[in-house]
Amino acid sequence: MLLARIVETSQTVAATRSRKAKVVALAETLGDADAADLPTVVAYLGGSLLQRRTGVGWRGIGSPPDPADEPTLTVAEVHAAFDHLAGLSGPGSQATRAAAVKDLLGRATADEQAWLRGVITGNVRQGALDALVQEGLAAASGAPLKAVRRAAMLAGGTVPIARAAFEGEAALGGFGLEVGRPVLPMLASSAPDVAAAMAKAGGGAVAIDTKLDGIRIQVHKSGDDVLIATRSLDVITDRLPEVVDVVRALPAERLVLDGEALALADDGRPRPFQETASRTAMESGVHVTPYFFDLLHLEGTSLLDRPGTERWAALASLVPEQHRTASLVTDSPDQAQEFVRETLARGHEGVVVKSLDGPYDAGRRGSAWVKVKPVHTLDLVVLAVEWGSGRREGWLSNIHLGARSDEGDGYAMPGKTLDGTRSPVPEGWVPVGKTFKGMTDEMLAWQTERFTDLAVEPGSMKDSYVVPLRPVQVVEIAFDGVQRSSRYPGGVALRFARVVRYRDDKGPDEADSIRTVQSYSRVSDVDSGR
């Protein structure tokens, strides 16, 4: 398949707001792909590369050569080129990489160059998220969408199951929870308080877990072999030897656990998140302790579809109490609130309210798990940044914040621009305010470097007070409330927003939605100005 077909489909998808039309365009291209090309086509239609890192950034593609007149590049050739780039290292690799990038872009047409630059930097603006590609794959193959989604969750993505979709539902059913193959973790939605969370989780008796502010870990054990993966499925086994030791000592041969790794102070209180997160960089001197809250597999049996009570009972019989998160089962809002107070007093950030009957929905965010942070925080994405003044002159300072817009929300309205710029609001994001509060000098220095790399037009950064960014950096924001606002397309804005930390462990698809932001305003009919 020619790369031009991918680019044409991307342009078609970007040009329509109709979900049905997007799916039709994706399905037609997926249906025409050869089996050998299919995994790459799936990745490219989702706006990503199969290679996690290529060593190429904005600086490497800022001045492309003259484009080709006719499309000749194939999907296979482009994939091979990125494989080559990803494998370059050592002396002379920078020059070799620059030459390889120039050769690739020189063989591409103008439209292909624009798409390649976008996919390299994670900035393909087509509105085709992985969920849409899954719908297109189901439509092209005739496989049930539910089967496609479940297989993708258990396989860790859509790419690994693409060929199986065309082989039929039985082939998709072969993707189960497999010890040694990490699956996407179950996620929690949000609620402003514990009473609202209990109602959202179904009412009646619920489990209330301590929400630890650590590294999310999924641990697989087969005999003495232990694998530890992060929430983004990166394998970090060699970085957490103390977790490996704890899991090896458990009385089971084969298991999969979900939990957190947390650094503790001498008094048993949690240390700052940055100290825990430093273990992913192999910094010495920080010991972490694992705490587990779910059991997904035990001795050859998948527990994913079992109710929570059954999974947690099995967890309690296997993992010692000192390595389980503290939890309470109750139907009393008063008891629940007391548990929250005790949790906060121990230095933790909140609780997760869980349905007793809910299965483990790998990769899904629903109402079965609901997080409550009494100090209200949201995970948002930085859409733009302003140059500082005064003592912050020369640093990128005030950040513009955006919430995720779910498909069909319609909040990213045509014609809306970022404050202080002519740049359009990126598709799929809704501005909700801006802030410079909570930033240390170290944070300002870090974000100046980081946002320089994320600038939409790095060559003209100094020409404008506001610098639009690619919407990929997640930031945790504390706030005092949410108020009505006719200035923003979502109808709401954050009050007294301040930066807690940058979340490099989360991708933009894990940012909170505009509906979650609106829920904090307690306004049932938000005037969005539409």
Side-chain angles (χ1 to χ4, degrees):
M1 177 176 283
L2 288 175
L3 179 67
R5 177 67 181 276
I6 303 295
V7 175
E8 179 184 0
T9 304
S10 178
Q11 292 172 337
T12 300
V13 170
T16 179
R17 300 184 64 83
S18 166
R19 187 183 188 91
K20 182 178 180 180
K22 292 177 189 285
V23 171
V24 168
L26 293 168
E28 289 178 351
T29 301
L30 288 165
D32 289 343
D34 294 334
D37 287 338
L38 189 58
T40 309
V41 170
V42 167
Y44 287 2
L45 290 178
S48 64
L49 299 172
L50 289 175
Q51 297 78 12
R52 293 186 68 85
R53 294 178 177 84
T54 63
V56 182
W58 271 104
R59 292 182 180 86
I61 57 175
S63 301
D66 292 337
D69 294 328
E70 299 292 334
T72 60
L73 277 173
T74 67
V75 166
E77 287 173 325
V78 174
H79 174 63
F82 283 121
D83 259 353
H84 173 63
L85 288 167
L88 293 174
S89 63
S93 60
Q94 186 172 354
T96 304
R97 182 177 290 108
V101 171
K102 183 177 181 180
D103 177 68
L104 176 62
L105 294 178
R107 296 180 58 199
T109 64
D111 284 347
E112 290 170 341
Q113 281 190 357
W115 185 89
L116 285 167
R117 295 172 72 188
V119 78
I120 288 171
T121 57
N123 194 35
V124 176
R125 297 183 178 184
Q126 62 187 29
L129 301 176
D130 199 42
L132 276 175
V133 176
Q134 289 173 12
E135 290 188 42
L137 185 61
S141 65
L145 178 58
K146 183 177 180 180
V148 170
R149 284 178 171 165
R150 180 176 175 83
M153 290 173 192
L154 296 176
T158 309
V159 170
I161 61 97
R163 290 171 180 160
F166 285 90
E167 296 170 8
E169 187 173 0
L172 289 171
F175 288 91
L177 178 60
E178 181 179 309
V179 177
R181 185 177 67 192
V183 300
L184 296 171
M186 184 171 176
L187 305 174
S189 56
S190 301
D193 55 58
V194 72
M198 293 174 73
K200 189 173 182 178
V206 295
I208 304 178
D209 279 9
T210 302
K211 189 178 190 308
L212 303 179
D213 192 16
I215 306 169
R216 182 78 176 267
I217 54 173
Q218 185 180 124
V219 184
H220 294 238
K221 177 189 179 187
S222 178
D224 284 337
D225 293 332
V226 174
L227 179 146
I228 305 172
T230 65
R231 62 188 298 141
S232 58
L233 306 187
D234 292 321
V235 176
I236 57 170
T237 310
D238 59 342
R239 304 177 191 179
L240 301 177
E242 59 268 67
V243 177
V244 172
D245 291 342
V246 168
V247 174
R248 277 181 177 157
L250 296 177
E253 286 294 306
R254 295 174 62 79
L255 57 78
V256 179
L257 293 159
D258 193 2
E260 297 265 343
L262 187 67
L264 301 174
D266 292 340
D267 61 0
R269 294 172 65 84
R271 297 172 74 170
F273 172 80
Q274 286 78 4
E275 294 187 34
T276 298
S278 71
R279 286 304 301 276
T280 64
M282 283 300 289
E283 294 184 13
S284 61
V286 177
H287 178 91
V288 300
T289 301
Y291 293 90
F292 299 107
F293 49 74
D294 221 318
L295 181 63
L296 314 186
H297 178 103
L298 182 61
E299 304 294 27
T301 300
S302 172
L303 305 181
L304 289 179
D305 295 325
R306 306 288 178 85
T309 49
E310 186 175 336
R311 300 196 311 274
W312 305 329
L315 177 73
S317 68
L318 177 68
V319 178
E321 184 177 3
Q322 67 264 33
H323 290 299
R324 301 197 311 267
T325 55
S327 182
L328 170 72
V329 175
T330 183
D331 62 358
S332 167
D334 291 339
Q335 289 183 358
Q337 188 57 50
E338 178 60 28
F339 184 84
V340 173
R341 283 193 289 268
E342 293 173 356
T343 297
L344 295 176
R346 294 196 302 271
H348 301 298
E349 65 174 356
V351 298
V352 181
V353 177
K354 299 180 177 180
S355 166
L356 299 181
D357 300 325
Y360 188 95
D361 286 333
R364 301 298 296 276
R365 186 193 306 274
S367 60
W369 288 9
V370 187
K371 61 185 176 183
V372 180
K373 296 182 181 180
V375 177
H376 298 318
T377 67
L378 291 164
D379 291 327
L380 302 172
V381 163
V382 184
L383 302 179
V385 63
E386 299 175 3
W387 286 105
S389 58
R391 65 174 299 273
R392 295 189 176 193
E393 186 173 356
W395 280 339
L396 291 172
S397 177
N398 201 357
I399 56 176
H400 295 226
L401 304 167
R404 178 172 47 82
S405 176
D406 290 328
E407 186 70 26
D409 277 349
Y411 287 107
M413 297 182 293
K416 282 288 182 180
T417 58
L418 292 165
D419 284 350
T421 77
R422 296 180 180 178
S423 296
V425 174
E427 184 175 0
W429 300 98
V430 186
V432 292
K434 52 187 177 179
T435 188
F436 61 85
K437 297 184 182 297
M439 297 176 182
T440 64
D441 286 355
E442 292 77 9
M443 188 178 291
L444 287 166
W446 177 88
Q447 70 183 38
T448 298
E449 181 178 354
R450 170 65 169 158
F451 294 154
T452 297
D453 290 337
L454 295 183
V456 172
E457 297 180 1
S460 59
M461 283 181 60
K462 294 290 187 179
D463 297 336
S464 175
Y465 174 62
V466 181
V467 179
L469 305 177
R470 293 182 284 120
V472 298
Q473 179 62 56
V474 178
V475 60
E476 183 176 354
I477 297 292
F479 60 99
D480 290 352
V482 174
Q483 62 189 12
R484 287 179 180 268
S485 174
S486 60
R487 178 179 181 180
Y488 290 105
V492 291
L494 302 182
R495 296 180 66 247
F496 304 111
R498 52 203 179 275
V499 175
V500 176
R501 55 182 166 163
Y502 283 102
R503 297 299 302 258
D504 290 332
D505 59 325
K506 291 190 174 185
D509 57 324
E510 297 181 77
D512 284 303
S513 70
I514 183 61
R515 297 194 183 279
T516 295
V517 179
Q518 291 168 345
S519 72
Y520 284 92
S521 71
R522 299 188 182 279
V523 177
S524 59
D525 183 18
V526 177
D527 176 16
S528 66
R530 287 180 292 159

